Amino acid sequence: GQTLPDLEDKLTLRRRLVPDAVAIAVLALILAVFYWEFLAGRAFIWDDTLTEFYPGANYFTTSIHAGRFPLWFPGVHDGQPFYSDPQMAVFYPPQWLLIPFVRNGRLPFLVYQGYIVLHYLLGGLFLYAFLKQLRLSPVAALSGAVVFCLSGFASLHLVNFVIIQVYVWLPLQLLYVDRLTFGKGRWAWWGLVGAMVMSLLAGHQQT
């Protein structure tokens, strides 16, 4: 059986985790409500996301799904190189998760919109973790995460999604920089390099 100190440790851990779990659930709920029209297919993202980034993601996922690597993008500006275009994010790992959703030779646009909203959630979770590492309360960390996800910059660049793909990795980079600065983790260098590589592969070097 378990000793009394072990049970007390487990109860203490649960008490610590519950506020974080509630905060994360609230963040997810806020984003779901804010972007519900997109998630439900009642509204559709426009501009570069519709005319450039979705066609690129669609061509990439359908090509891989069909068993071929997309070297060339036919039908766009009389054809152009595909895999070597950074903004197509061919080597960005999360984009590969879209491949199983290909149906009838096409990536549903609604799936792509959900993928976009999930990036906002991912960035919010990273910022929440960073602010908690700075010893902020769950309420303060949640407030920061909400502002990060719904800021003018983030909301405006919904139509330039490749910028958001880069933007969401910034809080994770800050988290590892903080850990390195205060000697909190011997593996923090690897985490920082990984987060920076993800930003690079996300497809918008200017960001």
Side-chain angles (χ1 to χ4, degrees):
Q2 294 180 330
T3 63
L4 184 59
D6 289 337
L7 290 173
E8 290 177 346
D9 290 341
K10 286 187 176 181
L11 289 174
T12 301
L13 179 61
R14 287 179 182 177
R15 282 195 292 268
R16 289 178 180 176
L17 292 179
V18 166
D20 292 331
V22 171
I24 291 170
V26 170
L27 175 63
L29 180 61
I30 289 172
L31 289 175
V33 171
F34 190 80
Y35 289 113
W36 179 250
E37 297 294 310
F38 294 130
L39 293 172
R42 298 175 182 172
F44 298 95
I45 301 170
W46 63 101
D47 207 353
D48 288 349
T49 294
L50 176 62
T51 61
E52 181 178 357
F53 303 128
Y54 168 71
N58 180 63
Y59 183 66
F60 165 74
T61 53
T62 54
S63 295
I64 299 296
H65 190 266
R68 64 179 185 274
F69 189 77
L71 300 175
W72 187 259
F73 200 2
V76 176
H77 305 299
D78 295 322
Q80 65 183 36
F82 187 81
Y83 81 99
S84 57
D85 183 349
Q87 294 197 52
M88 294 299 99
V90 170
F91 301 103
Y92 181 57
Q95 186 162 269
W96 286 71
L97 300 177
L98 292 172
I99 296 170
F101 293 96
V102 171
R103 294 290 182 271
N104 300 318
R106 186 177 69 87
L107 176 68
F109 192 63
L110 189 59
V111 170
Y112 190 65
Q113 292 198 147
Y115 170 75
I116 291 173
V117 175
L118 283 176
H119 268 76
Y120 283 93
L121 177 60
L122 184 66
L125 293 176
F126 287 154
L127 189 69
Y128 182 85
F130 172 55
L131 295 179
K132 283 300 303 272
Q133 184 170 277
L134 297 182
R135 299 184 182 280
L136 271 65
S137 69
V139 173
L142 173 61
S143 300
V146 171
V147 170
F148 178 83
C149 294
L150 304 182
S151 66
F153 178 88
S155 299
L156 174 65
H157 288 294
L158 180 74
V159 296
N160 308 107
F161 172 58
V162 70
I163 294 176
I164 299 301
Q165 285 190 153
V166 179
Y167 173 70
V168 298
W169 295 98
L170 176 61
L172 188 62
Q173 295 169 20
L174 294 174
L175 183 149
Y176 284 120
V177 167
D178 180 70
R179 293 182 71 85
L180 285 169
T181 301
F182 294 99
K184 295 179 180 178
R186 49 187 302 195
W187 301 105
W189 275 113
W190 291 105
L192 178 59
V193 170
M196 293 182 71
V197 167
M198 292 295 280
S199 289
L200 181 65
L201 297 177
H204 202 260
Q205 286 76 12
Q206 305 95 304
T207 305

